[in-house]
Amino acid sequence: AYTMGRAAEMLGTTHGFLRAIGEARLITPLRSEGGHRRYSRYQLRIAARARELVDHGTPIEAACRIIILEDQLEEAQRINAEYRRAAESANPTAAT
């Protein structure tokens, strides 16, 4: 896990930006025993996507919502593909 300072440095952003996406509930960083925020690589990828949207003029709240919706869409598509594969396996002649 990365500290807030290291995460902000890696993303080229500020501590305030990381706090804001946390307040928008886009990411929930882990906390050290001392209460300091710690970010995973996955959370940094999400934060980088948020920064990309904000850099292109999207308000931070909207950027967070877009990312959440993108994630939900990706998950729905994955589930749909699994159902489709299961249906094709159960009835291979229906796929043609």
Side-chain angles (χ1 to χ4, degrees), residues 1-5 7-8 11 14-44 46-47:
Y2 298 93
T3 64
M4 179 180 273
L11 296 170
T14 64
H15 294 200
F17 176 81
L18 291 172
R19 281 190 207 94
I21 62 175
E23 289 170 9
R25 295 189 177 146
L26 180 61
I27 59 175
T28 303
L30 300 172
R31 296 284 182 153
S32 69
E33 288 184 22
H36 300 283
R37 291 173 178 87
R38 299 284 188 252
Y39 298 88
S40 69
R41 288 183 181 160
Y42 174 72
Q43 290 172 328
L44 293 182
I46 293 171

Side-chain angles (χ1 to χ4, degrees), residues 61-89:
E61 298 83 11
C64 292
R65 185 69 182 138
I66 288 167
I67 294 165
I68 290 167
L69 291 171
E70 287 173 342
D71 188 54
Q72 289 173 345
L73 175 60
E74 184 179 315
E75 179 67 7
Q77 290 173 330
R78 184 190 63 75
I79 291 168
N80 192 24
E82 286 177 14
Y83 285 143
R84 195 172 290 133
R85 282 191 296 276
E88 289 170 0
S89 294

